[in-house]
Amino acid sequence: EVQLVESGGGLVQPGGSLRLSCAASGFTFSSYSMNWVRQAPGKGLEWVSFISSTSSTIYYADSVKGRFTISRDNAKNSLYLQMSSLRDEDTAVYYCARVLNRGGLDYWGQGALVTVSS
Amino acid sequence: QSALTQPRSVSGSPGQSVTISCTGTSSDVGGYNYVSWYQQHPGKAPKLVIYEVTKRPSGVPDRFSGSKSGNTASLTISGLQAEDEADYYCCSYAGSYTWVFGGGTKLTVL
């Protein structure tokens, strides 16, 4: 069974940093590209970042470019999102999701809540 | 990276059909056959129900179908059931390994 489990969420002050992790199991993690997607409270979904299976290709949404860094460790079946210079508007549930080619995100984690507030 | 346009809400009675539209541009919806749809119940993670415009993942009922014409994609749910009541989001590949989501549509089963 495919499972994605996020961790590392919490309360952080504006300007602070936080690192999210996503532990993958039930599939060959090193064969799949991964995305981070977020959802602000009561709002819609927003694509955040993409990383290819070998980490050779990485992209970010304009809203997080220069502040967030996506990475992965295929030996540990883990995906990461390092977030810095956090702003109030980064408050959201952050989901990791497996990329099905470019046509969809077929498995999602349960999400990790990040709250940016003083 | 502007969000795709979806109606805020749609509704239908059990057994009826509803269609949710998703309008983008030639840079996303119109440019690629990589539109997907997600169902999200309150407090839950999104679930893929349609990918690559028309394909259904294993386990998704054939009551769910997708289509696309030009810059607009559509999700049709036939034979509405109470458990279909949820938020639905469209998503399109937008080139250079970026994706864009719609604003979401709340489906109410009357």
Side-chain angles (χ1 to χ4, degrees):
Chain A
E1 179 194 5
V2 172
Q3 279 199 315
L4 297 169
V5 179
E6 298 93 341
S7 61
L11 174 64
V12 60
Q13 291 188 335
S17 299
L18 206 60
R19 188 198 199 202
L20 300 181
S21 299
C22 171
S25 60
F27 67 103
T28 304
F29 180 69
S30 59
S31 296
Y32 287 85
S33 299
M34 299 292 294
N35 272 343
W36 285 100
V37 176
R38 68 184 180 182
Q39 185 170 35
K43 303 296 185 182
L45 300 171
E46 179 189 13
W47 172 76
V48 172
S49 184
F50 164 88
I51 186 167
S52 64
S53 59
T54 61
S55 304
S56 60
T57 303
I58 287 174
Y59 282 91
Y60 300 96
D62 290 343
S63 57
V64 306
K65 200 174 296 182
R67 301 187 299 120
F68 288 12
T69 301
I70 191 172
S71 64
R72 65 190 296 163
D73 185 336
N74 286 342
K76 294 184 177 180
N77 291 334
S78 293
L79 173 72
Y80 306 101
L81 186 67
Q82 178 68 47
M83 304 181 292
S84 60
S85 302
L86 283 162
R87 306 166 179 167
D88 290 350
E89 55 265 35
D90 295 319
T91 294
V93 173
Y94 286 75
Y95 296 100
C96 61
R98 192 175 82 168
V99 179
L100 180 61
N101 193 1
R102 285 164 285 182
L105 307 179
D106 61 348
Y107 286 94
W108 297 61
Q110 86 288 352
L113 176 62
V114 173
T115 302
V116 183
S117 176
S118 54
Chain B
Q1 297 178 347
S2 298
L4 308 176
T5 301
Q6 297 181 233
R8 279 191 164 248
S9 64
V10 298
S11 63
S13 300
Q16 288 187 332
S17 294
V18 295
T19 296
I20 301 171
S21 62
C22 170
T23 301
T25 69
S26 58
S27 297
D28 38 62
V29 175
Y32 306 93
N33 286 322
Y34 290 132
V35 175
S36 51
W37 290 88
Y38 303 87
Q39 176 191 67
Q40 186 179 36
H41 288 109
K44 300 295 187 181
K47 172 189 174 184
L48 179 68
V49 294
I50 293 289
Y51 67 101
E52 293 178 13
V53 181
T54 62
K55 299 177 181 179
R56 273 180 296 105
S58 173
V60 173
D62 59 6
R63 302 184 294 104
F64 290 80
S65 62
S67 63
K68 190 186 85 166
S69 178
N71 296 337
T72 298
S74 298
L75 172 71
T76 297
I77 308 171
S78 58
L80 267 180
Q81 298 182 5
E83 58 262 36
D84 298 333
E85 184 162 297
D87 293 326
Y88 290 84
Y89 294 90
C90 63
C91 178
S92 176
Y93 181 69
S96 299
Y97 297 101
T98 66
W99 283 259
V100 59
F101 283 91
T105 298
K106 182 177 180 58
L107 168 62
T108 300
V109 180
L110 302 171

